[in-house]
Amino acid sequence: MLALEWLKNARDIMSQIENTQLENIKKAAAIMADSIECGRWVHTFGCGHATLPIEEMYPRIGGFVGFHPIVELPLTFFTNITGQMGVHQFVFLERVEGYGIEIMKGHTFDKRDTMWLFSHSGINNVNIDVALEARKQGMKVIAFGSAAEAKGKQTRHSSGKNIFEIADLVVDTCAPAGDASVPLKNHQDKIGPVSTMAFVTCVWMTVTTVAEILAERGVKLHIHPSHNVPGDTTAKQRLEEALAEYKKRVAGV
């Protein structure tokens, strides 16, 4: 049954992450905690399905203020498939060198910020633009993606580097280069991608560690609560407080 084959692949990747990436996850979390503690941001950026871990992070029940999603609509909304804002346009745009620099111009950054990038392959130009610009502005750059699988792959950027070579710190999601993981009878292409599952696993391992570090430092977290728990009469108030804190912090960005 192919469902079980995909499940085994997913579990194996989660085990690889646990066995090989804990130290870098702890290091990444410490950098992020420093940014959040001083009232600054961990900016999050990706393209295509690499925006899914960003959407999972905040706003999200169990997430907390400190993570600023940068999600560029033409690089995210391609579910029309064809026609306006379709897959053809998306594939073209993520490879346009200079586009990432223009995206960065739309925000105000600080050298105390952290730039957290998500890219499965690490070779496309928009992500590399953002990484280089963030480094230029003095930010720490953290990249999550299939780093080991990217070794030896030709970058599309004129810098000659992929984002894993630019980043200050890398967490390898341990997903295979082709992403899809299950062979299908009579077909050349595999099915069952695993990169999103790997990204989300790494995200929550990291974010929970950031929370742990900040709590140990005595920093109050503004956590996005569940408003679906019967009998919880203060959830709406806690949600309003979290959103008010986000609004206050994001005003200068």
Side-chain angles (χ1 to χ4, degrees):
M1 186 176 182
L2 295 187
L4 295 179
E5 186 169 345
W6 183 90
L7 192 60
K8 180 183 182 302
N9 294 339
R11 285 172 172 159
D12 287 347
I13 286 170
M14 293 175 81
S15 294
Q16 289 179 54
I17 292 168
E18 180 183 10
N19 293 334
T20 65
Q21 300 303 308
L22 280 181
E23 283 307 308
N24 277 357
I25 285 172
K26 290 176 185 175
K27 291 175 183 177
I31 292 170
M32 296 175 192
D34 288 343
S35 291
I36 294 171
E37 184 178 13
C38 69
R40 292 304 307 173
W41 290 104
V42 177
H43 305 285
T44 56
F45 182 81
C47 301
H49 287 92
T51 61
L52 293 175
I54 295 168
E55 294 178 35
E56 172 71 12
M57 197 183 318
Y58 195 84
R60 179 72 166 86
I61 291 169
F64 55 92
V65 176
F67 300 92
H68 172 231
I70 302 176
V71 179
E72 194 75 7
L73 190 60
L75 297 172
T76 306
F77 186 78
F78 50 89
T79 47
N80 288 337
I81 316 297
T82 58
Q84 293 179 347
M85 295 184 70
V87 172
H88 288 298
Q89 297 95 306
F90 160 71
V91 171
F92 173 79
L93 286 173
E94 73 170 347
R95 299 181 182 189
V96 174
E97 187 167 338
Y99 189 11
I101 295 172
E102 298 306 310
I103 292 170
M104 293 286 279
K105 288 178 181 178
H107 304 276
T108 302
F109 299 103
D110 186 284
K111 64 182 180 180
R112 295 169 293 174
D113 294 343
T114 300
M115 180 61 72
W116 189 1
L117 296 172
F118 296 88
S119 175
H120 176 63
S121 69
I123 65 172
N124 285 318
N125 289 335
V126 173
N127 294 304
I128 296 170
D129 281 343
V130 171
L132 289 169
E133 190 65 20
R135 288 292 301 269
K136 189 185 297 184
Q137 295 192 33
M139 286 180 268
K140 291 287 187 182
V141 174
I142 297 172
F144 278 34
S146 190
E149 295 283 342
K151 288 181 180 177
K153 289 182 70 174
Q154 183 65 44
T155 179
R156 295 189 169 103
H157 199 272
S158 63
S159 68
K161 296 181 179 180
N162 63 45
I163 65 163
F164 307 120
E165 295 167 322
I166 297 165
D168 295 286
L169 187 67
V170 173
V171 171
D172 195 327
T173 58
C174 302
D179 196 358
S181 65
V182 180
L184 186 65
K185 184 178 179 181
N186 299 327
H187 289 75
Q188 177 180 344
D189 296 305
K190 294 181 180 180
I191 58 173
V194 288
S195 64
T196 300
M197 177 281 305
F199 272 140
V200 171
T201 298
C202 291
V203 159
W204 286 115
M205 290 177 72
T206 304
V207 172
T208 52
T209 307
V210 174
E212 181 180 20
I213 292 168
L214 290 172
E216 288 175 353
R217 294 178 184 179
V219 177
K220 174 180 170 55
L221 300 182
H222 296 271
I223 300 171
H224 200 95
S226 172
H227 31 270
N228 300 313
V229 179
D232 186 346
T233 60
T234 65
K236 186 176 186 298
Q237 177 186 341
R238 300 198 309 278
L239 174 60
E240 293 296 333
E241 289 173 357
L243 294 177
E245 177 66 17
Y246 185 91
K247 184 178 181 180
K248 181 180 73 175
R249 286 198 187 199
V250 83
V253 176

